[in-house]
Amino acid sequence: MLSRFMSGSIRNLEREYSCTVRLLDDTEYTCTIQRDAKGQYLFDLICHHLNLLEKDYFGIRYVDPDKQRHWLEFTKSIAKQMKSQPPFTMCLRVKFYPPDPAALKEEITRYLVFLQIKRDLYHGRLLCKTSDAAMLAAYILQAEIGDYDPGKHPEGYSSKFQFFPKHSEKLERRIADIHKTELIGQTPETSERNFLQKAQMLETYGVDPHPCKDVSGNPAFLAFTPFGFVVLQGNKRVHFLKWNEVTKLKFEGKTFHIYANQKEDKKIILTYFAPTPEACKHLWKCGVENQAFYKLEKSSQVRTVSSSNLFFKGSRFRYSGRVAKEVMEQSAKIKREPPEIHRAGLVPSRSCPSITHGPRLSSVPRTRRRAVHISIMEGLESLRDSAHSTPVRSVSHGESFIPRSRSQATDASEGMAVISDEAYCPSDSVLPTPVAEHGVELSIARQINGAPCSIEEEKESEAGTPTRGDGGDFGADGRSAQAGAGGDTALSEVEQVNKFVLSVLRLLLVTIGLLFVLLLLLIILTESDLDIAFLRDIRQTPEFEQFHYEYFCPLRRWFACKLRWVGGLLINK
């Protein structure tokens, strides 16, 4: 009896596994789930734990054994998606950014979105000019520590908080001045709402960058926002397509295509190359989900999307869930007592710490305070390091997808962009937030010190395993960047030729198969004695009788004659 009980307990343990989900405030939620449980079950458990009703904006992200990040699909088994051995580690993140986050119905939802945007600000995904950066940071201070108190907050207290990848002493003083004078009396809820209203006005609000290359081999970042599809390249936004302009998203291997119709019936096709086929498929699925969520009026309009138009080739995917308009309508119907919110306050965060002595940049001479000098490639490096939907393989900078120049430290002045502190606009640059006032020594200092440690900590937090090296990368595929644009273009042409040949062969095979099926159907109609209603009706039509007696019968006699002739030759031999 005891052995039977023990064996039954072991079998039950084998059917269960442990899941740890890291929440937006960096606390962890651990649970035990059946092996065949689907993603929706785990997501509902987390939302119940958080007392969250407006949950459609959120998702669960995980990293597979190849270090490629994914969004957990709620309609599929968790164990089959993870492709690794339990226990599993995942993260709760904002998947669809609300178009108007300050208008969310419940305070708990606004607080979680506030934590996500605060994380984006720290990791350089949310770009803004210095004046906006100071105001955003002051809102965070007010929400976390309340009103300024000289007894509790000594001189320089704002330097203990790191809100951005880089900051200067002047920016710290400006943040403290705003916090002391302009935000007195604001509750945490009011400060968070004002923070959201300010953040949603920035052009990089909701940007989740995916590193790619264009057809010329130049680095680019693709992103999906609540308002449309954007492409960041160099130090500017090169494309912006509204969701109602995007007609189709496709991918084949590492090639990603965007089809769009702009005004005056102008059709355009944008083509980019992801570092791996897995990254390209993830990019495509993110695009399909974002387009369905923000563009459609009802979830009943969602259709299964194919990655290719050629018969059975490619992947098929369907967005499951409500769309933005339905979510807002459902939120308006919520009527309950506001749930209690346990704010993180002064608790240090692994991936977005509040109290930390981050890199502080010294002020520059007064004659140069109106301009900042930041390397374009340095900005790209920082954005690549913080891109939270890209692979997180760690290699040296020499093998990175966006290689540094060997003489960057000595020839920094040759590749600098001069950006006015007052005229800076997020659409003109993909530089880390904020644009601080500092000199050319930033490029050399960052090359020595590396990326902010919290960026690596965020990767470790999401992957569940420690990372090594200087930053995230794409592995072996990224090394080909050193060969130059010419080699990449030639390689892409060879791949395109191979894909074209495979497509032609597949079309030929499908055509032969259809002809074979039609031939079998013709033989059944003409030679079989099957007395089926629809066959009998076809045989009795005048067109079929004419075809049978004028074409098929002579052709059959000709084939029979030829077969007898060939048979006679074989017998005589």
Side-chain angles (χ1 to χ4, degrees), residues 11-30:
R11 283 195 298 270
N12 289 334
L13 289 174
E14 291 177 350
R15 289 196 297 266
E16 296 179 347
Y17 55 84
S18 175
C19 282
T20 298
V21 180
R22 291 179 177 138
L23 307 179
L24 283 160
D25 60 357
D26 287 310
T27 60
E28 293 185 349
Y29 174 79
T30 302

Side-chain angles (χ1 to χ4, degrees), residues 153-205:
H153 308 136
E155 185 69 24
Y157 71 100
S158 62
S159 64
K160 297 181 180 180
F161 294 79
Q162 187 179 354
F163 309 100
F164 319 104
K166 308 177 183 72
H167 58 275
S168 66
E169 292 181 356
K170 181 181 179 181
L171 181 58
E172 290 175 3
R173 292 194 298 270
R174 178 58 181 157
I175 293 170
D177 290 342
I178 296 175
H179 177 237
K180 294 176 183 177
T181 59
E182 300 183 26
L183 306 182
I184 296 176
Q186 284 193 11
T187 63
E189 179 185 2
T190 303
S191 297
E192 290 163 6
R193 188 189 294 269
N194 292 334
F195 175 90
L196 295 176
Q197 289 176 335
K198 189 75 174 179
Q200 78 175 72
M201 302 302 294
L202 303 176
E203 293 191 18
T204 49
Y205 166 73

Side-chain angles (χ1 to χ4, degrees), residues 119-254:
R119 184 183 299 269
D120 294 343
L121 190 68
Y122 175 76
H123 289 290
R125 293 186 289 265
L126 184 66
L127 310 177
C128 57
K129 59 185 180 182
T130 306
S131 58
D132 291 335
M135 182 59 71
L136 290 172
Y139 284 136
I140 296 175
L141 264 183
Q142 182 68 23
E144 291 196 351
I145 68 175
D147 291 339
Y148 170 73
D149 185 348
K152 297 180 180 179
H153 308 136
E155 185 69 24
Y157 71 100
S158 62
S159 64
K160 297 181 180 180
F161 294 79
Q162 187 179 354
F163 309 100
F164 319 104
K166 308 177 183 72
H167 58 275
S168 66
E169 292 181 356
K170 181 181 179 181
L171 181 58
E172 290 175 3
R173 292 194 298 270
R174 178 58 181 157
I175 293 170
D177 290 342
I178 296 175
H179 177 237
K180 294 176 183 177
T181 59
E182 300 183 26
L183 306 182
I184 296 176
Q186 284 193 11
T187 63
E189 179 185 2
T190 303
S191 297
E192 290 163 6
R193 188 189 294 269
N194 292 334
F195 175 90
L196 295 176
Q197 289 176 335
K198 189 75 174 179
Q200 78 175 72
M201 302 302 294
L202 303 176
E203 293 191 18
T204 49
Y205 166 73
V207 164
D208 180 7
H210 298 253
C212 292
K213 288 185 178 181
D214 63 11
V215 292
S216 300
N218 299 317
F221 291 91
L222 279 59
F224 309 105
T225 74
F227 314 105
F229 169 80
V230 298
V231 179
L232 304 172
Q233 196 169 47
N235 67 333
K236 62 181 180 179
R237 187 179 70 184
V238 295
H239 290 290
F240 172 70
L241 300 172
K242 297 179 181 179
W243 282 125
N244 57 6
E245 296 175 344
V246 178
T247 57
K248 187 173 180 62
L249 302 172
K250 288 175 53 178
F251 87 96
E252 295 178 355
K254 295 190 291 185

